[in-house]
């Protein structure tokens, strides 16, 4: 399964919203009925950090300004009000059929 | 707290082997599947391999299948990645990551260990 993210780069103003799209080459609905689509953040010089799993579930400690939506093959990560600490690269990842990452979206402050 | 510490990286010649280790602490190791993920310099994340919580299943990326082997020693709380027939394109930071109990997502990551493949 190929994961395609858009945009690849997103300059945003602090306090403004940001949105990242992720599209899969086939449906991510597993035979068990779940959709294994996650979002991860990688700050500069840091390992990745899990933000969202199963489309919309925020991982422990993740601020509620991060939200995930979508179904089937189209998914979106939204940051309601970007903060300076949100700078980094964001990846979607599917685990429905093996595991693959999107190519990453770089979020930077204008 | 959950901690994952990778080791074993270094400089290796093409065609040679290397074994990476990931020592886990702060959680019940044999309750979780474990992943290896790599990141070439300046590039994105590439999933490498996963091993089920009980070691019963192992899956690999096509790029490493037949050359890399993932394993675990629950008595040592340690995950391994045996890498054989290394190629220049295997050069990367290798991260181990824990699989979330639900959701099939890697929830905790180590800091990574750098593998350089060069003659």
């Amino acid at each position: 399964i190929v994961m395609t993210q858009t945009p690849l780069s997103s300059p945003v103003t602090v306090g403004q919203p940001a949105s990242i799209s992720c599209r899969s080459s086939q449906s991510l609905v597993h035979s068990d009925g779940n959709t294994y689509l996650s979002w991860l953040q990688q700050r500069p010089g840091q390992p990745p950090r899990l933000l969202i799993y199963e489309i919309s579930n925020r991982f422990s400690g993740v601020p509620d300004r991060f939200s995930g939506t979508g179904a089937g093959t189209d998914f979106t990560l939204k940051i309601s009000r970007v903060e300076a600490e949100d700078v980094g690269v964001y990846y979607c990842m599917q685990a429905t059929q093996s595991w693959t990452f999107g190519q990453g979206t770089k979020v930077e402050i204008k | 707290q959950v901690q994952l510490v990778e080791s074993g990286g270094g400089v290796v010649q093409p065609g040679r082997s290397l074994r990476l280790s990931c020592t886990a602490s702060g959680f019940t190791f044999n309750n979780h599947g474990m992943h290896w993920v790599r990141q070439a310099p300046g590039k994105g994340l590439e999933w490498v391999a996963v091993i089920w919580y009980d070691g019963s299943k192992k899956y690999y990326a096509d790029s490493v299948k037949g050359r890399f082997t993932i394993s675990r020693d629950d008595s040592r709380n340690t995950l391994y990645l045996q890498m054989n027939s290394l190629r220049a394109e295997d050069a990367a930071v290798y991260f181990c990551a824990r699989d979330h109990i639900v959701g099939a997502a890697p929830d905790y990551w180590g800091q990574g260990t750098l593998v350089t493949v060069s003659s």
Side-chain angles (χ1 to χ4, degrees), chain B residues 82-96:
Chain B
Q82 177 66 43
M83 305 186 295
N84 299 332
S85 303
L86 282 161
R87 306 167 179 168
E89 55 265 34
D90 295 319
V93 174
Y94 283 74
F95 297 100
C96 65

Side-chain angles (χ1 to χ4, degrees), chain B residues 25-67:
Chain B
S25 60
F27 66 100
T28 304
F29 186 65
N30 59 12
N31 280 353
H32 291 266
M34 296 294 296
H35 298 262
W36 286 101
V37 176
R38 67 185 181 184
Q39 186 169 38
K43 302 295 185 183
L45 300 173
E46 180 188 13
W47 174 77
V48 173
V50 64
I51 184 168
W52 249 232
Y53 71 98
D54 59 357
S56 62
K57 296 182 181 179
K58 305 173 186 181
Y59 298 100
Y60 300 90
D62 288 344
S63 57
V64 307
K65 205 173 291 183
R67 300 187 299 123

Side-chain angles (χ1 to χ4, degrees), chain A:
Chain A
I1 298 178
V2 177
M3 307 297 288
T4 303
Q5 292 181 226
T6 54
L8 297 184
S9 178
S10 179
V12 294
T13 302
V14 170
Q16 294 300 303
S19 181
I20 300 169
S21 175
C22 177
R23 178 166 289 179
S24 57
S25 58
Q26 59 192 79
S27 174
L28 296 186
V29 179
H30 193 273
S31 57
D32 63 9
N34 295 316
T35 300
Y36 296 114
L37 185 283
S38 307
W39 290 96
L40 299 100
Q41 174 198 62
Q42 188 175 29
R43 291 170 171 152
Q46 295 293 315
R49 166 198 179 199
L50 179 65
L51 297 176
I52 303 279
Y53 63 94
E54 287 187 30
I55 303 177
S56 59
N57 297 285
R58 266 189 306 277
F59 184 56
S60 174
V62 174
D64 60 8
R65 64 178 181 274
F66 292 94
S67 64
T69 59
T73 61
D74 288 288
F75 306 92
T76 302
L77 175 71
K78 292 180 180 175
I79 310 174
S80 58
R81 294 173 304 280
V82 171
E83 298 188 5
E85 66 179 19
D86 299 335
V87 164
V89 180
Y90 290 77
Y91 296 91
C92 60
M93 173 193 163
Q94 69 81 21
T96 293
Q97 186 182 117
S98 189
W99 284 259
T100 48
F101 291 95
Q103 67 270 60
T105 295
K106 187 174 185 178
V107 170
E108 51 194 359
I109 303 298
K110 278 183 184 174

